[in-house]
Amino acid sequence: MSVNRLQTIKPLLLADGDALSLDVSVLNTLAGLILDAGSGHETRIAALSQMKGRAFTLLARVEPIELLHEDELNRLLGGGIEGVVLTGCRGRADIQKLDVMLRVAEARNGLPAGRTRIYAEYGASPEGLLSPHTLAGCSQRLEGLIFNGSALAKAVGCKEPASAAHQGVAAPVLAGRANVVLRAHEAGIRAYEVLPPTADAVATRWALSQSTNDGFASVVCRSPEQAVIASGA
């Protein structure tokens, strides 16, 4: 299956407070809305899950696997979350552990087995980009990989991805981008790239073009404005 065409794959949106006020017609141009799992998430999830005419997927961005508790997953799934974005992924073992935890949470909430999707986010734990273990076949839940260049830059102490068009990219970020695209291709899944949070309209359009050219299927937007541009809404 070819997944390297941005125009055929909807973007994701990492939501903040402003995004929750968007009209459902705009949100439905997205593949999914990512909410940070934390204080007050139950109210936001409940409101979004009951939104009339909703066609987008509700995702929760959860802590690295060693900090994630089963009770938290249980609450998220019980509240209406349909998928999770695992931050700081270090590879196959982390994804498989999350798969088992989700199986338990689905059973507790009376949900169909395997219903909850996984997106693995690479960047915050640089060792994950050096893992020799393939992701192919590690979990039937695995929907895609996400590359977070800002998180990788912060972790290794290099220059963050630019928010303006045509600026240089640090070598570790370039290597990480290529790694995630290749891992996704090997596993037969999609790769997404997180856009710089302060990118304006011009920089966002440039970043979208670069992501497509470099093999990403789509992007993760950091603002409603970026989402409108990325989705063509």
Side-chain angles (χ1 to χ4, degrees):
M1 178 178 64
S2 176
V3 293
N4 63 348
R5 281 322 201 184
L6 179 66
Q7 62 266 32
T8 64
I9 306 297
K10 293 181 178 181
L12 303 169
L13 172 61
L14 180 57
D16 56 18
D18 292 338
L20 304 185
S21 64
L22 287 174
D23 187 86
V24 68
S25 62
V26 175
L27 292 172
N28 280 342
T29 65
L30 304 168
L33 187 64
I34 306 171
L35 303 173
D36 273 319
S39 178
H41 65 74
E42 295 92 346
T43 301
R44 291 178 292 162
I45 293 170
L48 287 162
S49 65
Q50 297 169 22
M51 183 178 284
K52 186 175 181 181
R54 176 175 72 90
F56 58 92
T57 300
L58 282 177
L59 306 167
R61 193 166 182 258
V62 299
E63 294 178 315
I65 196 69
E66 67 270 17
L67 301 176
L68 183 61
H69 298 288
E70 288 187 1
D71 288 345
E72 176 67 7
L73 274 183
N74 188 49
R75 287 193 296 269
L76 288 169
L77 268 62
I81 283 296
E82 298 152 330
V84 293
V85 176
L86 177 64
T87 65
C89 181
R90 296 166 302 187
R92 187 181 184 93
D94 284 356
I95 295 168
Q96 289 177 324
K97 182 176 179 180
L98 179 57
D99 188 307
V100 173
M101 294 174 70
L102 286 170
R103 195 182 314 157
V104 173
E106 286 169 342
R108 286 182 178 177
N109 285 276
L111 299 171
R115 159 261 199 198
T116 312
R117 314 315 297 162
I118 293 175
Y119 291 81
E121 183 182 291
Y122 281 82
S125 298
E127 62 268 32
L129 296 167
L130 301 175
S131 171
H133 303 296
T134 178
L135 299 181
C138 71
S139 171
Q140 292 186 348
R141 301 176 186 272
L142 188 59
E143 189 82 7
L145 306 184
I146 294 174
F147 175 65
N148 190 330
S150 295
L152 177 61
K154 183 177 180 180
V156 302
C158 71
K159 177 184 175 183
E160 290 201 25
S163 293
H166 307 298
Q167 293 187 1
V169 181
V173 176
L174 284 174
R177 294 177 83 245
N179 183 293
V180 169
V181 170
L182 292 171
R183 285 182 180 275
H185 178 76
E186 180 185 36
I189 56 178
R190 297 165 180 169
Y192 296 77
E193 180 173 30
V194 179
L195 296 178
T198 58
D200 60 16
V202 173
T204 296
R205 292 188 179 93
W206 177 79
L208 290 171
S209 176
Q210 286 297 108
S211 291
T212 304
N213 291 341
D214 289 341
F216 289 93
S218 196
V219 295
V220 178
C221 302
R222 297 297 302 273
S223 71
E225 292 76 18
Q226 289 180 350
V228 169
I229 293 171
S231 63

